[in-house]
Amino acid sequence: MAEKNIPMREALRAALREEMIRDERVFVMGQEVGAWEGTHKVTRGFLDEFGARRVRDTPISEMAIAGAAVGAAMAGLRPVAEIMTINFAFLAFDALINHAAKVRYMFDGQFKVPMVLRCATGWGNQATATHSHTPEPVFAHFPGLYLGCPSTPADAKGMLKAAIRDDNPVLFTEVIALYPKPGLVPDDPDFVLPIGKGDIKRAGKDVTIVAYGRGVEWSLDAAEMLAREGISCEVIDVRWLRPLDLPLIFESFKKTNRCVVVEESLPFYSFGSEIAAQLQEHMFDYMDAPIKRVSAMDVPLPYAKEIELMALPDAHKVVAAVKEII
Amino acid sequence: MSDLTRTTLTRAELIEAYHQMVLIRRFEEKCKELYNARKIGGVYLHLYNGQEATGVGAIKALKPTDHVITAYRDHGIAIAKGADVKRLMAEMFGKRTGVSGGKGGSMHLADVNVRMWGGYAIVGGHLPLAAGIALKSKYNDDGEVVLCFVGDGATNNGYFHEALNLSSVWDLPVVWLIENNLYGMGTPVHVASGQPELHKRAIAYGMKDYGRVDGMDFFAVYEVTQQAVEYARTTGPVLIEAITYRYEGHGVSDRIYMKRVEEMQMFQQRDPLIVMQTKLREMFPDIEPELAKVEPSVAAIVEEAVRFAEASPVPTAEDLTRNVYA
């Protein structure tokens, strides 16, 4: 199959474009998706190609962007709405949690909500406290909503296509730092990666490192460094925080008996907490060491670069965590 | 006083509308009785008594293919849009046969078959959903209109602003109908709203303002909504404010409200059922035998609904986990 080496933003653009060509009901709406061609240029050229009916600029109205996407999806369209960054999606929390995630259940299956809400996520490069959130676990807390966050361009394409084709609401977060990073991406317009399926990004036998989003990059760098010292790490990219591919994590853990969880998010009530809890509940007999968690520090992110980077995880912190339990 | 000659409804349709208003009144009285007897559960029970002319008058101005969505005071709206009264009562009882499978309750009555999109319990939360459903109509150019009931209390949160503004910039076919029953829970409108003439909010959105209408008068509501619906169908969103009154307080257990005796008596003198009877007698001097049949017919329907609800099974453990996802 043909592949192209393209950055993640182009992979996302290809997924979105192919799905809009494939299904007339798919359309995009959000701030600056049209004339501006997307804050992160994911919708570059869309207004010219698809027109204003299917490429809809919105006011800065996060509640209405998310809420109108819910209504349009309930009524039979397949909106791909965009909130510029997930920091602003806190304004849309009610529309996502009380509406997108609930209407199917509370009306007992009378409605489907086939919508995707795309948000850029992650550390903002001195963007400071309110613009640097990576809050996926907060949104993944609630049943009724799926949440995916790709770590490579190929995953970005396959996962976004799966999200658009699925009949459930999906919060799809895209790590800002990964938009320009290239990777091989299949041309196939039916390249779809199933929702809830994680991926072993590097096979190993001594420690399981579980990560998502940008955490995968740090974990792979750490695994490389550790390999030079004879420590073999298996790096699992869950891809989806909900549904979570627990069987993949459990199978790896049965082999390694050790686990480090890596995330850009905060440590309290976190992704790491959930994985650790699941492992001790279901894999206690296989456990040879405490589960370690590598995350951002439990502080808001400051402006000054020197202390901002101090608060964030990196590959060296992952290496240190692995060494503590090996 | 509305101009009787302007109604386009036939005598049979008017009797049917009156029948529906009486049905709502007796349904609500029965719900109150059953709630106090603890056969209907829940922390709240928001009744529609007193507001019947607004709901029925507005919905009669729609085509069956048009859409209705409302907040949590939804029993009367669901009846007016044609939902099955037996299944509505079963929902009150939390039974498996209820319109929402016993999983929604009093505040979440939807019936997709009659395009009743539900009652929603987060104030203002359904407004962007209405915009989204209307976007489907606009997108598909199918000529369908959304009638969205809005409580006066909802006009002061962000959803109102964002949804009305979005509907205006996108020229969506929505009729926003504010049911001003003078109180948002216990707070009077003039205490909560800098501009207590709520229809004037239309100016802020460049939206067609249909002004205030007497929400206790079926004919007045019907006529203005009919014009508004046609405007929405061909041109764009509109705002109407109906002045109405709830006889039972915010919920049936609201004791403070019961002290407002004079105000209540003033509105009860213009009770929607009495106003409509009087007009029907003016229009059709020989209508008495038809009017006389309404109460017994309604009593039988309500009785049958209660029997059906009582005899219905409760939801099962399978129902508990069903329809979280599609």
PDB file of all heavy atoms in Angstrom, chain A residues 209 214-226 228 233 260 262 294 309 312-323:
ATOM      1  N   ILE A 209       5.642   0.352  29.671  1.00  0.00           N
ATOM      2  CA  ILE A 209       5.382   1.792  29.808  1.00  0.00           C
ATOM      3  C   ILE A 209       4.076   2.095  29.078  1.00  0.00           C
ATOM      4  O   ILE A 209       3.950   1.807  27.885  1.00  0.00           O
ATOM      5  CB  ILE A 209       6.517   2.652  29.211  1.00  0.00           C
ATOM      6  CG1 ILE A 209       7.870   2.263  29.826  1.00  0.00           C
ATOM      7  CG2 ILE A 209       6.229   4.124  29.438  1.00  0.00           C
ATOM      8  CD1 ILE A 209       9.058   3.049  29.269  1.00  0.00           C
ATOM      9  N   ARG A 214       1.561  12.849  23.719  1.00  0.00           N
ATOM     10  CA  ARG A 214       2.975  13.207  23.713  1.00  0.00           C
ATOM     11  C   ARG A 214       3.789  12.311  24.645  1.00  0.00           C
ATOM     12  O   ARG A 214       5.004  12.151  24.464  1.00  0.00           O
ATOM     13  CB  ARG A 214       3.119  14.669  24.132  1.00  0.00           C
ATOM     14  CG  ARG A 214       4.474  15.218  23.793  1.00  0.00           C
ATOM     15  CD  ARG A 214       4.426  16.691  23.520  1.00  0.00           C
ATOM     16  NE  ARG A 214       5.762  17.212  23.369  1.00  0.00           N
ATOM     17  CZ  ARG A 214       6.283  18.155  24.152  1.00  0.00           C
ATOM     18  NH1 ARG A 214       5.568  18.663  25.152  1.00  0.00           N
ATOM     19  NH2 ARG A 214       7.488  18.590  23.937  1.00  0.00           N
ATOM     20  N   GLY A 215       3.121  11.692  25.606  1.00  0.00           N
ATOM     21  CA  GLY A 215       3.793  10.764  26.511  1.00  0.00           C
ATOM     22  C   GLY A 215       4.439   9.611  25.766  1.00  0.00           C
ATOM     23  O   GLY A 215       5.426   9.029  26.231  1.00  0.00           O
ATOM     24  N   VAL A 216       3.896   9.269  24.611  1.00  0.00           N
ATOM     25  CA  VAL A 216       4.439   8.153  23.823  1.00  0.00           C
ATOM     26  C   VAL A 216       5.848   8.500  23.331  1.00  0.00           C
ATOM     27  O   VAL A 216       6.768   7.679  23.399  1.00  0.00           O
ATOM     28  CB  VAL A 216       3.506   7.824  22.637  1.00  0.00           C
ATOM     29  CG1 VAL A 216       4.123   6.744  21.755  1.00  0.00           C
ATOM     30  CG2 VAL A 216       2.124   7.390  23.143  1.00  0.00           C
ATOM     31  N   GLU A 217       6.016   9.722  22.873  1.00  0.00           N
ATOM     32  CA  GLU A 217       7.319  10.176  22.375  1.00  0.00           C
ATOM     33  C   GLU A 217       8.376  10.118  23.490  1.00  0.00           C
ATOM     34  O   GLU A 217       9.481   9.591  23.297  1.00  0.00           O
ATOM     35  CB  GLU A 217       7.166  11.603  21.857  1.00  0.00           C
ATOM     36  CG  GLU A 217       8.374  12.157  21.150  1.00  0.00           C
ATOM     37  CD  GLU A 217       8.126  13.596  20.689  1.00  0.00           C
ATOM     38  OE1 GLU A 217       7.557  14.398  21.468  1.00  0.00           O
ATOM     39  OE2 GLU A 217       8.487  13.906  19.543  1.00  0.00           O
ATOM     40  N   TRP A 218       8.030  10.635  24.668  1.00  0.00           N
ATOM     41  CA  TRP A 218       8.975  10.590  25.801  1.00  0.00           C
ATOM     42  C   TRP A 218       9.286   9.141  26.160  1.00  0.00           C
ATOM     43  O   TRP A 218      10.427   8.796  26.470  1.00  0.00           O
ATOM     44  CB  TRP A 218       8.384  11.300  27.020  1.00  0.00           C
ATOM     45  CG  TRP A 218       8.182  12.778  26.824  1.00  0.00           C
ATOM     46  CD1 TRP A 218       9.035  13.627  26.191  1.00  0.00           C
ATOM     47  CD2 TRP A 218       7.071  13.564  27.254  1.00  0.00           C
ATOM     48  NE1 TRP A 218       8.527  14.895  26.208  1.00  0.00           N
ATOM     49  CE2 TRP A 218       7.327  14.899  26.861  1.00  0.00           C
ATOM     50  CE3 TRP A 218       5.895  13.289  27.935  1.00  0.00           C
ATOM     51  CZ2 TRP A 218       6.441  15.933  27.129  1.00  0.00           C
ATOM     52  CZ3 TRP A 218       5.010  14.318  28.218  1.00  0.00           C
ATOM     53  CH2 TRP A 218       5.280  15.625  27.809  1.00  0.00           C
ATOM     54  N   SER A 219       8.253   8.291  26.114  1.00  0.00           N
ATOM     55  CA  SER A 219       8.443   6.888  26.500  1.00  0.00           C
ATOM     56  C   SER A 219       9.363   6.174  25.509  1.00  0.00           C
ATOM     57  O   SER A 219      10.218   5.384  25.914  1.00  0.00           O
ATOM     58  CB  SER A 219       7.091   6.179  26.565  1.00  0.00           C
ATOM     59  OG  SER A 219       6.248   6.823  27.491  1.00  0.00           O
ATOM     60  N   LEU A 220       9.176   6.460  24.222  1.00  0.00           N
ATOM     61  CA  LEU A 220      10.028   5.814  23.214  1.00  0.00           C
ATOM     62  C   LEU A 220      11.478   6.297  23.339  1.00  0.00           C
ATOM     63  O   LEU A 220      12.419   5.502  23.223  1.00  0.00           O
ATOM     64  CB  LEU A 220       9.489   6.085  21.801  1.00  0.00           C
ATOM     65  CG  LEU A 220       8.199   5.333  21.460  1.00  0.00           C
ATOM     66  CD1 LEU A 220       7.603   5.833  20.148  1.00  0.00           C
ATOM     67  CD2 LEU A 220       8.441   3.819  21.391  1.00  0.00           C
ATOM     68  N   ASP A 221      11.649   7.593  23.591  1.00  0.00           N
ATOM     69  CA  ASP A 221      13.008   8.119  23.796  1.00  0.00           C
ATOM     70  C   ASP A 221      13.642   7.466  25.026  1.00  0.00           C
ATOM     71  O   ASP A 221      14.820   7.092  25.005  1.00  0.00           O
ATOM     72  CB  ASP A 221      12.967   9.647  23.984  1.00  0.00           C
ATOM     73  CG  ASP A 221      12.636  10.376  22.683  1.00  0.00           C
ATOM     74  OD1 ASP A 221      12.655   9.704  21.621  1.00  0.00           O
ATOM     75  OD2 ASP A 221      12.342  11.585  22.729  1.00  0.00           O
ATOM     76  N   ALA A 222      12.856   7.334  26.079  1.00  0.00           N
ATOM     77  CA  ALA A 222      13.363   6.716  27.308  1.00  0.00           C
ATOM     78  C   ALA A 222      13.729   5.250  27.046  1.00  0.00           C
ATOM     79  O   ALA A 222      14.780   4.770  27.509  1.00  0.00           O
ATOM     80  CB  ALA A 222      12.306   6.812  28.414  1.00  0.00           C
ATOM     81  N   ALA A 223      12.878   4.552  26.309  1.00  0.00           N
ATOM     82  CA  ALA A 223      13.126   3.133  26.015  1.00  0.00           C
ATOM     83  C   ALA A 223      14.437   2.966  25.255  1.00  0.00           C
ATOM     84  O   ALA A 223      15.206   2.029  25.492  1.00  0.00           O
ATOM     85  CB  ALA A 223      11.956   2.557  25.220  1.00  0.00           C
ATOM     86  N   GLU A 224      14.706   3.904  24.369  1.00  0.00           N
ATOM     87  CA  GLU A 224      15.944   3.879  23.588  1.00  0.00           C
ATOM     88  C   GLU A 224      17.162   4.039  24.511  1.00  0.00           C
ATOM     89  O   GLU A 224      18.150   3.310  24.416  1.00  0.00           O
ATOM     90  CB  GLU A 224      15.881   5.010  22.540  1.00  0.00           C
ATOM     91  CG  GLU A 224      16.924   4.953  21.455  1.00  0.00           C
ATOM     92  CD  GLU A 224      16.849   3.667  20.637  1.00  0.00           C
ATOM     93  OE1 GLU A 224      15.734   3.218  20.325  1.00  0.00           O
ATOM     94  OE2 GLU A 224      17.933   3.107  20.333  1.00  0.00           O
ATOM     95  N   MET A 225      17.050   5.007  25.406  1.00  0.00           N
ATOM     96  CA  MET A 225      18.159   5.240  26.355  1.00  0.00           C
ATOM     97  C   MET A 225      18.366   4.025  27.256  1.00  0.00           C
ATOM     98  O   MET A 225      19.479   3.613  27.524  1.00  0.00           O
ATOM     99  CB  MET A 225      17.858   6.463  27.229  1.00  0.00           C
ATOM    100  CG  MET A 225      17.872   7.790  26.492  1.00  0.00           C
ATOM    101  SD  MET A 225      17.625   9.156  27.684  1.00  0.00           S
ATOM    102  CE  MET A 225      16.264  10.004  26.957  1.00  0.00           C
ATOM    103  N   LEU A 226      17.252   3.457  27.724  1.00  0.00           N
ATOM    104  CA  LEU A 226      17.332   2.320  28.641  1.00  0.00           C
ATOM    105  C   LEU A 226      17.865   1.073  27.941  1.00  0.00           C
ATOM    106  O   LEU A 226      18.568   0.250  28.553  1.00  0.00           O
ATOM    107  CB  LEU A 226      15.954   2.050  29.267  1.00  0.00           C
ATOM    108  CG  LEU A 226      15.521   3.108  30.300  1.00  0.00           C
ATOM    109  CD1 LEU A 226      14.004   3.083  30.486  1.00  0.00           C
ATOM    110  CD2 LEU A 226      16.238   2.889  31.630  1.00  0.00           C
ATOM    111  N   ARG A 228      20.166   0.940  25.838  1.00  0.00           N
ATOM    112  CA  ARG A 228      21.631   1.020  25.845  1.00  0.00           C
ATOM    113  C   ARG A 228      22.207   0.486  27.162  1.00  0.00           C
ATOM    114  O   ARG A 228      23.358   0.114  27.234  1.00  0.00           O
ATOM    115  CB  ARG A 228      22.079   2.464  25.615  1.00  0.00           C
ATOM    116  CG  ARG A 228      21.973   2.868  24.150  1.00  0.00           C
ATOM    117  CD  ARG A 228      22.447   4.316  23.937  1.00  0.00           C
ATOM    118  NE  ARG A 228      21.501   5.048  23.121  1.00  0.00           N
ATOM    119  CZ  ARG A 228      21.010   6.255  23.383  1.00  0.00           C
ATOM    120  NH1 ARG A 228      21.385   6.895  24.484  1.00  0.00           N
ATOM    121  NH2 ARG A 228      20.158   6.824  22.569  1.00  0.00           N
ATOM    122  N   CYS A 233      12.164  -2.150  27.381  1.00  0.00           N
ATOM    123  CA  CYS A 233      10.841  -1.589  27.701  1.00  0.00           C
ATOM    124  C   CYS A 233       9.844  -1.877  26.588  1.00  0.00           C
ATOM    125  O   CYS A 233      10.159  -1.754  25.409  1.00  0.00           O
ATOM    126  CB  CYS A 233      10.937  -0.071  27.885  1.00  0.00           C
ATOM    127  SG  CYS A 233      12.014   0.418  29.223  1.00  0.00           S
ATOM    128  N   VAL A 260       5.224   1.525  34.272  1.00  0.00           N
ATOM    129  CA  VAL A 260       5.329   2.971  34.465  1.00  0.00           C
ATOM    130  C   VAL A 260       4.275   3.618  33.566  1.00  0.00           C
ATOM    131  O   VAL A 260       4.155   3.255  32.393  1.00  0.00           O
ATOM    132  CB  VAL A 260       6.732   3.492  34.082  1.00  0.00           C
ATOM    133  CG1 VAL A 260       6.773   5.020  34.106  1.00  0.00           C
ATOM    134  CG2 VAL A 260       7.796   2.907  35.003  1.00  0.00           C
ATOM    135  N   VAL A 262       2.908   7.087  31.815  1.00  0.00           N
ATOM    136  CA  VAL A 262       3.443   8.398  31.434  1.00  0.00           C
ATOM    137  C   VAL A 262       2.336   9.263  30.845  1.00  0.00           C
ATOM    138  O   VAL A 262       1.607   8.817  29.954  1.00  0.00           O
ATOM    139  CB  VAL A 262       4.571   8.251  30.394  1.00  0.00           C
ATOM    140  CG1 VAL A 262       5.132   9.620  30.003  1.00  0.00           C
ATOM    141  CG2 VAL A 262       5.679   7.358  30.941  1.00  0.00           C
ATOM    142  N   VAL A 294       4.570   8.946  35.890  1.00  0.00           N
ATOM    143  CA  VAL A 294       5.306  10.137  35.464  1.00  0.00           C
ATOM    144  C   VAL A 294       4.277  11.094  34.859  1.00  0.00           C
ATOM    145  O   VAL A 294       3.566  10.729  33.924  1.00  0.00           O
ATOM    146  CB  VAL A 294       6.377   9.795  34.407  1.00  0.00           C
ATOM    147  CG1 VAL A 294       7.089  11.054  33.942  1.00  0.00           C
ATOM    148  CG2 VAL A 294       7.367   8.784  34.969  1.00  0.00           C
ATOM    149  N   LEU A 309       9.448  24.238  32.211  1.00  0.00           N
ATOM    150  CA  LEU A 309       9.935  22.925  31.790  1.00  0.00           C
ATOM    151  C   LEU A 309      10.172  22.003  32.984  1.00  0.00           C
ATOM    152  O   LEU A 309      10.016  20.791  32.880  1.00  0.00           O
ATOM    153  CB  LEU A 309      11.206  23.080  30.959  1.00  0.00           C
ATOM    154  CG  LEU A 309      10.965  23.733  29.593  1.00  0.00           C
ATOM    155  CD1 LEU A 309      12.295  23.964  28.858  1.00  0.00           C
ATOM    156  CD2 LEU A 309      10.028  22.899  28.723  1.00  0.00           C
ATOM    157  N   LEU A 312       7.130  19.932  33.711  1.00  0.00           N
ATOM    158  CA  LEU A 312       6.638  18.981  32.702  1.00  0.00           C
ATOM    159  C   LEU A 312       7.439  17.672  32.727  1.00  0.00           C
ATOM    160  O   LEU A 312       8.618  17.669  33.071  1.00  0.00           O
ATOM    161  CB  LEU A 312       6.750  19.600  31.305  1.00  0.00           C
ATOM    162  CG  LEU A 312       5.715  20.673  30.984  1.00  0.00           C
ATOM    163  CD1 LEU A 312       6.174  21.491  29.785  1.00  0.00           C
ATOM    164  CD2 LEU A 312       4.347  20.056  30.728  1.00  0.00           C
ATOM    165  N   PRO A 313       6.796  16.579  32.335  1.00  0.00           N
ATOM    166  CA  PRO A 313       7.542  15.326  32.211  1.00  0.00           C
ATOM    167  C   PRO A 313       8.453  15.362  30.986  1.00  0.00           C
ATOM    168  O   PRO A 313       8.281  16.205  30.102  1.00  0.00           O
ATOM    169  CB  PRO A 313       6.449  14.270  32.029  1.00  0.00           C
ATOM    170  CG  PRO A 313       5.251  15.011  31.549  1.00  0.00           C
ATOM    171  CD  PRO A 313       5.377  16.433  31.982  1.00  0.00           C
ATOM    172  N   ASP A 314       9.440  14.479  30.958  1.00  0.00           N
ATOM    173  CA  ASP A 314      10.271  14.314  29.763  1.00  0.00           C
ATOM    174  C   ASP A 314      10.861  12.909  29.797  1.00  0.00           C
ATOM    175  O   ASP A 314      10.610  12.141  30.742  1.00  0.00           O
ATOM    176  CB  ASP A 314      11.364  15.392  29.683  1.00  0.00           C
ATOM    177  CG  ASP A 314      12.290  15.403  30.896  1.00  0.00           C
ATOM    178  OD1 ASP A 314      12.489  14.326  31.506  1.00  0.00           O
ATOM    179  OD2 ASP A 314      12.820  16.474  31.234  1.00  0.00           O
ATOM    180  N   ALA A 315      11.672  12.582  28.788  1.00  0.00           N
ATOM    181  CA  ALA A 315      12.211  11.222  28.679  1.00  0.00           C
ATOM    182  C   ALA A 315      13.095  10.873  29.876  1.00  0.00           C
ATOM    183  O   ALA A 315      13.078   9.734  30.362  1.00  0.00           O
ATOM    184  CB  ALA A 315      12.990  11.083  27.380  1.00  0.00           C
ATOM    185  N   HIS A 316      13.855  11.844  30.375  1.00  0.00           N
ATOM    186  CA  HIS A 316      14.749  11.567  31.506  1.00  0.00           C
ATOM    187  C   HIS A 316      13.964  11.188  32.760  1.00  0.00           C
ATOM    188  O   HIS A 316      14.381  10.329  33.533  1.00  0.00           O
ATOM    189  CB  HIS A 316      15.651  12.778  31.775  1.00  0.00           C
ATOM    190  CG  HIS A 316      16.556  13.078  30.621  1.00  0.00           C
ATOM    191  ND1 HIS A 316      17.642  12.279  30.327  1.00  0.00           N
ATOM    192  CD2 HIS A 316      16.514  14.039  29.665  1.00  0.00           C
ATOM    193  CE1 HIS A 316      18.244  12.761  29.237  1.00  0.00           C
ATOM    194  NE2 HIS A 316      17.562  13.831  28.820  1.00  0.00           N
ATOM    195  N   LYS A 317      12.815  11.816  32.946  1.00  0.00           N
ATOM    196  CA  LYS A 317      11.976  11.481  34.100  1.00  0.00           C
ATOM    197  C   LYS A 317      11.404  10.065  33.949  1.00  0.00           C
ATOM    198  O   LYS A 317      11.214   9.355  34.937  1.00  0.00           O
ATOM    199  CB  LYS A 317      10.854  12.508  34.269  1.00  0.00           C
ATOM    200  CG  LYS A 317      11.387  13.859  34.753  1.00  0.00           C
ATOM    201  CD  LYS A 317      10.294  14.911  34.869  1.00  0.00           C
ATOM    202  CE  LYS A 317      10.900  16.247  35.281  1.00  0.00           C
ATOM    203  NZ  LYS A 317       9.928  17.342  35.301  1.00  0.00           N
ATOM    204  N   VAL A 318      11.128   9.690  32.703  1.00  0.00           N
ATOM    205  CA  VAL A 318      10.636   8.329  32.459  1.00  0.00           C
ATOM    206  C   VAL A 318      11.749   7.326  32.762  1.00  0.00           C
ATOM    207  O   VAL A 318      11.520   6.300  33.422  1.00  0.00           O
ATOM    208  CB  VAL A 318      10.129   8.162  31.003  1.00  0.00           C
ATOM    209  CG1 VAL A 318       9.645   6.728  30.757  1.00  0.00           C
ATOM    210  CG2 VAL A 318       9.013   9.157  30.700  1.00  0.00           C
ATOM    211  N   VAL A 319      12.955   7.636  32.318  1.00  0.00           N
ATOM    212  CA  VAL A 319      14.103   6.761  32.587  1.00  0.00           C
ATOM    213  C   VAL A 319      14.270   6.570  34.100  1.00  0.00           C
ATOM    214  O   VAL A 319      14.414   5.448  34.597  1.00  0.00           O
ATOM    215  CB  VAL A 319      15.403   7.346  31.975  1.00  0.00           C
ATOM    216  CG1 VAL A 319      16.637   6.610  32.506  1.00  0.00           C
ATOM    217  CG2 VAL A 319      15.350   7.280  30.449  1.00  0.00           C
ATOM    218  N   ALA A 320      14.216   7.663  34.829  1.00  0.00           N
ATOM    219  CA  ALA A 320      14.383   7.599  36.286  1.00  0.00           C
ATOM    220  C   ALA A 320      13.307   6.724  36.924  1.00  0.00           C
ATOM    221  O   ALA A 320      13.601   5.926  37.827  1.00  0.00           O
ATOM    222  CB  ALA A 320      14.355   9.012  36.862  1.00  0.00           C
ATOM    223  N   ALA A 321      12.085   6.865  36.452  1.00  0.00           N
ATOM    224  CA  ALA A 321      10.972   6.078  37.019  1.00  0.00           C
ATOM    225  C   ALA A 321      11.173   4.593  36.758  1.00  0.00           C
ATOM    226  O   ALA A 321      10.947   3.759  37.644  1.00  0.00           O
ATOM    227  CB  ALA A 321       9.647   6.563  36.423  1.00  0.00           C
ATOM    228  N   VAL A 322      11.602   4.268  35.550  1.00  0.00           N
ATOM    229  CA  VAL A 322      11.836   2.852  35.213  1.00  0.00           C
ATOM    230  C   VAL A 322      12.929   2.279  36.118  1.00  0.00           C
ATOM    231  O   VAL A 322      12.796   1.182  36.670  1.00  0.00           O
ATOM    232  CB  VAL A 322      12.218   2.699  33.725  1.00  0.00           C
ATOM    233  CG1 VAL A 322      12.739   1.283  33.439  1.00  0.00           C
ATOM    234  CG2 VAL A 322      11.025   3.029  32.823  1.00  0.00           C
ATOM    235  N   LYS A 323      13.975   3.051  36.312  1.00  0.00           N
ATOM    236  CA  LYS A 323      15.102   2.554  37.114  1.00  0.00           C
ATOM    237  C   LYS A 323      14.716   2.333  38.577  1.00  0.00           C
ATOM    238  O   LYS A 323      15.324   1.505  39.260  1.00  0.00           O
ATOM    239  CB  LYS A 323      16.289   3.521  37.005  1.00  0.00           C
ATOM    240  CG  LYS A 323      16.993   3.409  35.659  1.00  0.00           C
ATOM    241  CD  LYS A 323      18.230   4.272  35.618  1.00  0.00           C
ATOM    242  CE  LYS A 323      19.025   4.009  34.336  1.00  0.00           C
ATOM    243  NZ  LYS A 323      20.167   4.933  34.225  1.00  0.00           N
TER     244      LYS A 323
END
